[in-house]
Amino acid sequence: MFNYYRKELDWGGRKLVLETGKVARQADGAVMVSYGDTIVLCTAVGMRTPKPGQDFFPLTVNYQEKAFAAGKIPGGFFKREGRPSEMETLKSRLIDRPIRPLFPEGFKNEVQVIATVLSHDLENDPDIVAMVGCSAALTLSGIPFFGPVGAARVGYVDGQYVLNPTADQMKKTTLELVVAGTTEGVLMVESEADELTEETMLGAVTFGHAAFQPVIQAIIELAEVAAKEPWPLPEESEEQKTLRARVDSLARAGLADAYREPQKQVRHEKIDAVRKAAAEALAAEGLDVEKAKGLFKDLEADIVRNAILDTGLRIDGRDTKTVRPIVAEVGVLPRAHGSALFTRGETQAFVVATLGTAQDEQVIDALEGEYREHFMLHYNFPPYSVGETGRLGSPGRREIGHGKLAWRAVHPLLPEKEKFPYTLRVVSEITESNGSSSMATVCGTSLALMDAGVPLKSPVAGIAMGLIKEDRGYAVLTDILGDEDHLGDMDFKVAGTERGVTSLQMDIKITSITPEIMQVALGQARDGRLHILGEMAKALTGARTDVAATAPRITVINIPKEKIRDVIGTGGKVIREIVEQTGAKIDIEDDGTIKIAATDMTKTQAAIDWIRGIVAEPEIGVIYTGKVVKTAEFGAFVNFLGSRDGLVHISELAQGRVAKTSDVVNVGDSVKVKVLGFDDRGKVKLSMRVVDQATGEDISEKVGPKGGRNERGGRGGQGPDGEATNGSSDAAAE
């Protein structure tokens, strides 16, 4: 019934298994991949014919995690998986980026790749398994694909590279790098690092590339027995060749002139005018204008790329290593906790930092379990930033991906949460864009956080590198423009400090690049990064010494763990009362750490005093201010230390004999009491008699020993049980 095939290999100390022919047999390609007990089903399906008039390649990659994979039921009201989480979106992009360049030029058929996580052992991350599985599914499908692709995660522990580190090893690593590529070279890199050198980063890439070669070989061997018949490769027809030649003759001169215009808006107006005139000429000649759309882009790429290789000068007149002019400003919004406006050429990021408390942390429900994130970075790319109109909605894959890239760049430099217990949210609004708005976000985030008083370990900056590679040579471009990104062969983003790299992301649009090119790009990126850091330092060289006046001030105190229940109270009654009465925000942790936040320090101090009063133990001989909460025939109960009550016996209410408790105090009265001691049940014995109620002074020496003449002429006293005696024995003795 099944044409079942299996390939197994030992990889990184664990067993990697690829299976096909048993599950999802109606897909063009389907592979079940397991690594440890993590299992991912990967499928690939392609349409046999392209949509008429379509001039782009419609590839869709979807990575989805099923809650049952970790033995969980989805949280929330709807108990089923819904829209993709941020993590699923990021991993979909991670799979998409290395496979997209390997489809043949001219292939416009719709292709959909789906990776479904069926089992997660909480040790081996499903993303690498999914990347391997999707590569294998495409290789087996018959769809034109110049793969297979391999992928690996690389850690760096105690000065040694680690292949596919486990969850425990990831806690110790100073590097998390994902690399993907073919046998020839690297196609994609994504990483976060703890200020590592360029040499260490390049070493990690080459280590990962070598490590996944056995996986590529295993996919090839599986394909030799299980692959479907390959689809025919798209070929350019004679009609298309004729059309290409005609587009060249009509538009080359005009486009070459347009690309000598350094200003983006004017340049695009000239390009649009050339295209429009050429399209009208083609229509007049009876040629298919729709089929010519993609040919204009090919011609533009040829013009721009060869001009750079021939002259060493770029669209805006710069050489290959110069960074565009930079203006960095901070404190641009009066009420924000921290703000920055970072402008580099025609790219601009308006970045705002907000400080919050632990109550503002983002709760994330992942397969690995629920956890909290105290640093959030949200990137927005409104259409006006490129002079266009468009629909505003929820963030797309691009916004999520660019925001995460900037997050990785800044994250290693944040202070430890214990030392700076704030929740941090950064929002980057891209107000202009012409190349590398994500790296402008990194620079703006660094400035905004420092403006907010966040003590970053070092300022961080980012820069995007490009590549033009032809048979006759190559050129690495520093600080690429948007057009150079679209028409070039590489988008290589590097972020870091003066000491080293904190994040590296590389996407290649050709089949691969060599380590030599990567080394040149990393060197130029370092020079560019240091230049940008120098420009940023003109605005701010380090974090401000204090947080903004509008930001909450967090004070941390510690109480004994056994006292947490007293501070919270039954059903949270006590803590709610403290928050409502003082206006402070209060977070209590299981170890007794309490964080109190308020913009007004008087509110913070009021909350601290209240909590200290609850957890403090009464000391004999110390005078406290309290409130009468109950009266009885034998005395008054006074709440004097948080929730602590004590008894003022009727004989200790005042000097002289007291007939009724209510003659001296009533419920709600504020009184000053001295702790006399504790009875055999631990109850506190208090006295008002020995305290001056006006000044709070201890007057026990002035009033002498307890007692005063009662109506019968004897001295009142107190028996061992705390009840009053009538003094008859004293009278008899006299």
Side-chain angles (χ1 to χ4, degrees):
M1 182 175 181
F2 301 115
N3 293 320
Y4 175 74
Y5 301 94
R6 172 188 172 99
K7 187 67 184 176
E8 179 181 314
L9 72 154
D10 185 77
W11 190 42
R14 280 144 284 170
K15 188 179 293 184
L16 178 70
V17 180
L18 292 82
E19 301 171 279
T20 189
K22 189 175 183 179
V23 179
R25 291 172 295 162
Q26 295 186 45
D28 290 323
V31 178
M32 187 95 78
V33 185
S34 61
Y35 193 48
D37 285 336
T38 294
I39 302 174
V40 183
L41 172 63
C42 302
T43 61
V45 176
M47 298 297 291
R48 291 286 172 170
T49 56
K51 291 181 180 178
Q54 189 165 262
D55 63 345
F56 66 95
F57 172 41
L59 170 66
T60 304
V61 177
N62 295 101
Y63 169 93
Q64 53 186 7
E65 296 178 337
K66 299 299 182 180
F68 61 72
K72 297 175 61 177
I73 295 175
F77 184 77
F78 297 102
K79 296 298 180 181
R80 68 176 299 164
E81 292 82 3
R83 58 178 295 180
S85 67
E86 183 175 296
M87 188 57 65
E88 287 173 312
T89 298
L90 291 169
K91 292 185 178 182
S92 296
R93 284 171 53 87
L94 199 65
I95 299 168
D96 181 299
R97 286 156 49 196
I99 66 175
R100 185 175 290 271
L102 298 181
F103 290 88
E105 190 174 351
F107 183 68
K108 309 298 182 186
N109 301 35
E110 183 176 359
V111 174
Q112 185 178 44
V113 177
I114 300 175
T116 306
V117 180
L118 303 178
S119 175
H120 188 3
D121 61 10
L122 307 183
E123 280 294 318
N124 299 290
D125 199 312
D127 56 1
I128 296 297
V129 183
M131 294 175 78
V132 170
C134 291
S135 169
L138 284 167
T139 303
L140 300 184
S141 69
I143 298 170
F145 176 67
F146 299 146
V149 169
R153 175 172 275 102
V154 180
Y156 194 61
V157 180
D158 297 329
Q160 299 293 321
Y161 296 119
V162 180
L163 175 63
N164 296 332
T166 63
D168 288 339
Q169 289 173 318
M170 287 302 299
K171 297 174 183 177
K172 306 172 187 175
T173 185
T174 55
L175 169 70
E176 181 184 3
L177 181 142
V178 175
V179 56
T182 61
T183 54
E184 289 81 18
V186 174
L187 286 165
M188 187 275 297
V189 177
E190 181 86 51
S191 66
E192 179 182 335
D194 190 7
E195 295 184 279
L196 298 180
T197 65
E198 282 76 7
E199 291 76 17
T200 302
M201 298 299 292
L202 183 57
V205 173
T206 55
F207 172 84
H209 180 256
F212 62 63
Q213 295 308 310
V215 177
I216 292 178
Q217 186 58 37
I219 295 173
I220 292 171
E221 292 174 6
L222 184 65
E224 288 174 348
V225 295
K228 295 181 178 178
E229 287 297 317
W231 297 11
L233 293 174
E235 295 182 3
E236 190 171 49
S237 65
E238 289 300 321
E239 177 189 3
Q240 196 75 354
K241 291 178 181 178
T242 301
L243 188 59
R244 182 182 296 277
R246 193 70 186 108
V247 167
D248 188 288
S249 63
L250 288 169
R252 178 174 286 275
L255 289 175
D257 178 68
Y259 273 106
R260 284 190 283 270
E261 169 57 51
Q263 189 176 345
K264 176 185 173 183
Q265 295 290 354
V266 177
R267 180 169 66 251
H268 283 193
E269 289 173 3
K270 289 184 176 182
I271 291 170
D272 290 342
V274 173
R275 284 186 172 186
K276 182 178 179 181
E280 290 173 353
L282 292 173
E285 297 173 14
L287 297 174
D288 193 331
V289 176
E290 287 298 318
K291 290 183 179 180
K293 287 183 178 179
L295 301 179
F296 281 105
K297 183 179 178 181
D298 294 343
L299 179 57
E300 291 172 43
D302 181 69
I303 291 170
V304 172
R305 295 163 64 89
N306 282 292
I308 292 172
L309 290 176
D310 290 340
T311 66
L313 297 178
R314 296 152 66 179
I315 296 171
D316 59 359
R318 285 180 294 151
D319 62 24
T320 58
K321 296 182 180 181
T322 300
V323 179
R324 288 172 288 174
I326 291 172
V327 177
E329 304 169 65
V330 295
V332 290
L333 295 179
R335 297 292 298 173
H337 300 162
S339 58
L341 183 66
F342 181 84
T343 308
R344 186 192 61 242
E346 295 172 300
T347 296
Q348 186 179 76
F350 209 133
V351 187
V352 183
T354 305
L355 307 185
T357 68
Q359 297 176 17
D360 299 309
E361 290 180 340
Q362 184 176 17
V363 180
I364 299 174
D365 184 19
L367 287 184
E368 298 82 359
E370 186 177 284
Y371 65 94
R372 292 176 174 269
E373 181 57 65
H374 80 289
F375 174 45
M376 296 159 279
L377 197 157
H378 298 145
Y379 166 102
N380 296 313
F381 192 87
Y384 68 75
S385 65
V386 289
E388 297 177 356
T389 60
R391 180 178 176 272
L392 289 177
S394 57
R397 289 190 173 191
R398 184 180 189 277
E399 284 81 1
I400 292 172
H402 280 37
K404 190 63 175 181
L405 172 59
W407 183 96
R408 288 192 182 100
V410 177
H411 181 248
L413 301 167
L414 295 177
E416 295 176 6
K417 188 178 176 182
E418 292 73 20
K419 296 180 180 178
F420 193 77
Y422 286 91
T423 295
L424 309 175
R425 183 189 183 225
V426 174
V427 178
S428 174
E429 296 287 339
I430 302 305
T431 49
E432 291 183 42
S433 180
N434 184 15
S436 192
S437 56
S438 63
M439 294 297 96
T441 295
V442 171
C443 302
T445 298
S446 177
L447 291 167
L449 287 173
M450 292 191 297
D451 185 49
V454 180
L456 296 182
K457 297 174 185 176
S458 297
V460 56
I463 191 166
M465 313 298 293
L467 174 70
I468 304 296
K469 184 174 182 288
E470 298 287 352
D471 292 339
R472 62 193 179 97
Y474 70 88
V476 175
L477 312 179
T478 296
D479 182 23
I480 56 174
L481 302 173
D483 288 335
E484 291 170 340
D485 184 6
H486 299 149
L487 304 177
D489 297 321
M490 177 180 74
D491 184 8
F492 190 18
K493 298 182 175 76
V494 185
T497 66
E498 290 183 350
R499 289 192 293 271
V501 176
T502 57
S503 182
L504 187 154
Q505 177 179 291
M506 181 178 71
D507 292 302
I508 304 299
K509 302 172 188 176
I510 52 180
T511 54
S512 65
I513 65 168
T514 64
E516 176 199 359
I517 294 176
M518 287 187 62
Q519 189 170 21
V520 172
L522 282 167
Q524 278 187 218
R526 184 178 188 279
D527 294 340
R529 184 174 81 242
L530 294 178
H531 168 75
I532 295 172
L533 285 168
E535 294 298 305
M536 291 166 56
K538 295 177 181 178
L540 200 60
T541 58
R544 300 196 187 279
T545 55
D546 199 3
V547 298
T550 53
R553 306 297 175 104
I554 297 180
T555 304
V556 180
I557 63 173
N558 292 280
I559 64 170
K561 289 194 289 186
E562 60 270 16
K563 295 290 185 180
I564 294 175
R565 181 182 299 179
D566 297 333
V567 176
I568 295 175
T570 305
K573 178 182 177 182
V574 175
I575 194 68
R576 283 199 303 272
E577 184 180 4
I578 298 173
V579 170
E580 290 169 2
Q581 294 294 324
T582 65
K585 288 185 177 181
I586 301 173
D587 297 303
I588 304 178
E589 299 179 6
D590 293 340
D591 63 353
T593 300
I594 299 182
K595 298 173 183 176
I596 303 162
T599 53
D600 185 347
M601 285 304 295
T602 59
K603 296 179 180 179
T604 299
Q605 193 59 50
I608 291 174
D609 293 343
W610 196 324
I611 293 170
R612 291 289 191 205
I614 293 173
V615 302
E617 294 292 338
E619 298 180 42
I620 295 176
V622 176
I623 295 172
Y624 299 93
T625 300
K627 183 168 68 175
V628 178
V629 293
K630 183 181 178 181
T631 60
E633 290 183 6
F634 53 84
F637 290 94
V638 175
N639 177 216
F640 70 98
L641 193 60
S643 59
R644 175 80 67 168
D645 289 342
L647 173 65
V648 181
H649 191 270
I650 191 169
S651 64
E652 292 290 344
L653 285 173
Q655 299 176 40
R657 184 179 183 280
V658 176
K660 291 195 305 182
T661 301
S662 58
D663 289 343
V664 179
V665 293
N666 291 293
V667 173
D669 288 352
S670 177
V671 297
K672 293 178 175 61
V673 293
K674 180 179 179 179
V675 177
L676 298 179
F678 306 89
D679 64 18
D680 54 4
R681 294 175 295 175
K683 301 296 184 181
V684 185
K685 296 189 291 185
L686 303 173
S687 174
M688 292 172 53
R689 178 180 74 85
V690 297
V691 182
D692 187 319
Q693 294 299 308
T695 65
E697 180 187 357
D698 186 341
I699 58 173
S700 55
E701 292 184 0
K702 297 179 181 179
V703 301
K706 177 180 63 178
R709 292 282 179 178
N710 60 21
E711 289 179 347
R712 297 179 183 175
R715 292 186 180 275
Q718 188 173 31
D721 60 355
E723 295 296 331
T725 63
N726 60 16
S728 57
S729 59
D730 289 339
E734 288 181 351

